Amino acid sequence: PTPRQAFLEFLKSQESEIKELVEARGLPERFIRGEVKKFVDYWTEPTANGKRQRWELQKTFDYRRRLATWLLKADEWSKDAPEKVIKF
């Protein structure tokens, strides 16, 4: 699938992605759920004219890489982050 198709599929089925992240990364489910919600809220924000979303303005958008980076930086941004976020 194209990056666009992959992200749209992710938006429809976040539960399976969350479960996969919890199992693969060993991070608390509550933390993962909160960060995935923040990630989706940020990237699906409508543009000023309301015709597109933030992620659609990017030249490329590989949601898995962006989500991995988001989670790595979450310990800097979030008060709810576990002591150490496991490196990907």
Side-chain angles (χ1 to χ4, degrees):
T2 66
R4 177 181 178 76
Q5 291 168 332
F7 186 62
L8 292 173
E9 184 60 34
F10 164 72
L11 292 176
K12 291 178 190 173
S13 60
Q14 293 174 39
E15 278 302 310
S16 61
E17 189 76 26
I18 289 169
K19 288 177 184 176
E20 183 181 315
L21 285 168
V22 169
E23 290 174 13
R25 308 299 180 210
L27 297 171
E29 184 175 347
R30 185 175 142 241
F31 174 74
I32 294 286
R33 282 188 184 285
E35 291 304 315
V36 167
K37 180 177 180 351
K38 291 176 196 175
F39 177 82
V40 169
D41 289 348
Y42 177 81
W43 285 109
T44 58
E45 180 182 9
T47 57
N49 66 10
K51 292 183 181 182
R52 297 171 83 184
Q53 294 178 342
R54 182 184 298 251
W55 70 275
E56 294 173 298
L57 302 178
Q58 302 300 305
K59 202 171 196 179
T60 61
F61 193 83
D62 180 351
Y63 86 89
R64 286 186 181 265
R65 292 185 77 184
R66 289 184 188 256
L67 183 55
T69 301
W70 184 281
L71 290 172
L72 285 174
K73 294 192 179 264
D75 62 340
E76 298 169 18
W77 301 337
S78 176
K79 292 183 233 172
D80 299 330
E83 292 268 332
K84 292 275 186 186
V85 175
I86 297 169
K87 300 291 182 200
F88 289 67

